[in-house]
Amino acid sequence: MSTAGSKVLVVGATGAVGGALAGVLHGRGARLAAAGRDAGRLAERARGWGDCPARVFDAYDVDGCAALAGWAWEALSGLDAVVTAVGTVAFGRSEDTSDEVLEHLVAVNALAPIAVLRAALPLLPEGGAVAAVTGVAERPMPGAADYSASKAALSAWLTAVRREQRRRGVHVLDARLPHMDTGFADRAVAGSPPPMPPGADLGAAVRAVVDALASGAAVVRPGAGGSLVTETRER
């Protein structure tokens, strides 16, 4: 997929990662539609991305999530790719984590992005792409078992859908990004983050994701020495 001139929906565009992804895509000539939770921040960012179409959504509203792809398709007169970067985190030992926290994590980290991408698939042409940031799915973390499980569920869904979409020629990208110093961990819905190593560079991470999206890659994952590895096929 050529980034320049492509029509891309970015969901989670008011977050640190989603906003950075949208910025790189816009800088490379993509036509954006942006969806985010924070109305004020979304309006401000949309102006910086060429006054692109913008829509507020709530990850708990599955029907609203599913409607985003159709809205973007109409707003852009077509759609080439959909990228989701939504998520929330919780910390604590598994026996101390409530079912309500798990329900919240699964709703935001798995059900919401799946609803967005599922609705997008029939709208995408051959050579189109869907992508989601799954992060910790690469290495489940003790002290965050429920969060890890919610992200792993999304990653497993992407793997299966990738195989389903091969005949259609729609690419499916799983962006398993490492920890980055975006303040995400400090906004946990439960518990406090453990000591963490220095975060990876946000700019380098989002550029790797956009490169992988353009090339039709399957996975972006952490490599040795803080690097990012792009795989054309999942292992």
Side-chain angles (χ1 to χ4, degrees), residues 92-140:
R93 292 178 60 84
S94 56
E95 65 267 32
D96 299 325
T97 302
S98 70
D99 292 337
E100 289 78 11
V101 168
L102 174 58
E103 181 179 11
H104 180 80
L105 293 170
V106 171
V108 175
N109 294 339
L111 298 183
I114 286 172
V116 172
L117 300 179
R118 188 197 315 279
L121 289 171
L123 304 178
L124 295 173
E126 181 178 356
V130 296
V133 176
T134 59
V136 78
E138 178 72 11
R139 183 174 296 176

Side-chain angles (χ1 to χ4, degrees), residues 209-235:
V209 173
V210 174
D211 288 343
L213 187 69
S215 68
V219 175
V220 174
R221 63 175 180 82
S227 64
L228 287 168
V229 175
T230 299
E231 298 177 348
T232 57
R233 294 178 178 270
E234 74 275 7
R235 292 177 293 175

